[in-house]
Amino acid sequence: MIVPLFPLGSVLFPGGRLPLRIFEQRYMDMAKACFKESGSFGVCLIAAGEEVARPGEKPAEPHSVGTLAHIADWDMQQLGVLDIVAQGGERFRLKRHWAEASGLLCGEVELIESPPVLPVPGSYARLVPLLRAIIDDLGAASGAPAAPHRFFDAGWLGMRYAEVLPIPLVARQKLLEIEDSIDRLEIIYRFLEGKGLLPEA
């Protein structure tokens, strides 16, 4: 599967939403193609380089695991600036990538199988009320998790925590790459417990 790539200083998770501001022509063209064909693009955290291309410089180097995205919403309040909301779909592994003449990165990707829906184990139940409180606090903010909220699903719970925790981007990327939903919850639980942020059992 070949998709256009959008290397960013952000990590998009499956089921997540990421507001983006597009003004470079290569990404405007990518967005137009997505609108026309109901297509997807790949969001990858930048491993090296910059989001905005400078003339004569190499394009940004993406991490090898990213997330397919489609445009869930858009607006253009300023001529030449497109505001979109990217909705995260399946994760993928980047097999190879290259730059088109326009500077747009494209990649051959292999989709990573979605993990099964697993109930949140009782030992991690303390994670649920805290995330509920965080989402209530975020309200209708642009980065708030979209409904429906699946607090019963270990995979969904872990992905949403990975989005909202105040952690370095590289740590966020590592959480994206973890295959096992329960392993991801374990890491998050230990982090929050160590910070004294979990409610009493």
Side-chain angles (χ1 to χ4, degrees):
M1 182 178 181
I2 293 174
V3 295
L5 299 176
F6 203 146
L8 290 167
S10 306
V11 179
L12 176 63
F13 289 86
R17 293 163 73 87
L18 184 64
L20 297 172
R21 175 157 285 195
I22 294 175
F23 50 88
E24 291 184 75
Q25 189 59 48
R26 54 184 171 160
Y27 295 128
M28 284 286 196
D29 293 341
M30 180 193 79
K32 286 178 189 173
C34 287
F35 287 135
K36 186 176 180 181
E37 302 160 16
S38 298
S40 298
F41 59 97
V43 172
C44 299
L45 178 66
I46 292 173
E50 301 291 335
E51 277 188 26
V52 179
R54 292 184 174 87
E57 289 190 2
K58 288 183 178 180
E61 186 71 20
H63 276 271
S64 61
V65 173
T67 303
L68 277 186
H70 71 267
I71 298 173
D73 198 8
W74 68 276
D75 194 10
M76 185 181 277
Q77 296 188 359
Q78 180 182 341
L79 188 64
V81 179
L82 179 65
D83 292 306
I84 68 169
V85 176
Q87 175 77 40
E90 298 160 280
R91 293 177 303 153
F92 62 79
R93 189 165 283 106
L94 189 57
K95 298 177 76 174
R96 63 188 181 97
H97 65 280
W98 61 92
E100 300 283 352
S102 65
L104 181 69
L105 278 184
C106 290
E108 181 184 354
V109 304
E110 178 180 58
L111 295 181
I112 297 172
E113 187 176 352
S114 298
V117 174
L118 296 173
V120 176
S123 54
Y124 302 118
R126 293 165 69 198
L127 291 170
V128 175
L130 178 58
L131 186 63
R132 282 186 188 276
I134 291 169
I135 290 176
D136 286 347
D137 191 53
L138 287 171
S142 58
H149 299 148
R150 298 160 52 90
F151 294 103
F152 60 87
D153 178 356
W156 184 91
L157 191 71
M159 294 289 189
R160 302 295 73 80
Y161 261 114
E163 289 172 343
V164 301
L165 286 178
I167 55 176
L169 282 171
V170 173
R172 228 180 279 284
Q173 176 69 24
K174 293 296 183 188
L175 288 173
L176 175 71
E177 294 174 7
I178 291 172
E179 296 293 331
D180 188 282
S181 299
I182 306 301
D183 288 348
R184 187 181 295 109
L185 278 191
E186 169 70 13
I187 292 168
I188 290 165
Y189 186 90
R190 289 188 178 279
F191 173 81
L192 291 170
E193 190 175 45
K195 298 286 186 183
L197 295 174
L198 288 175
E200 291 301 319

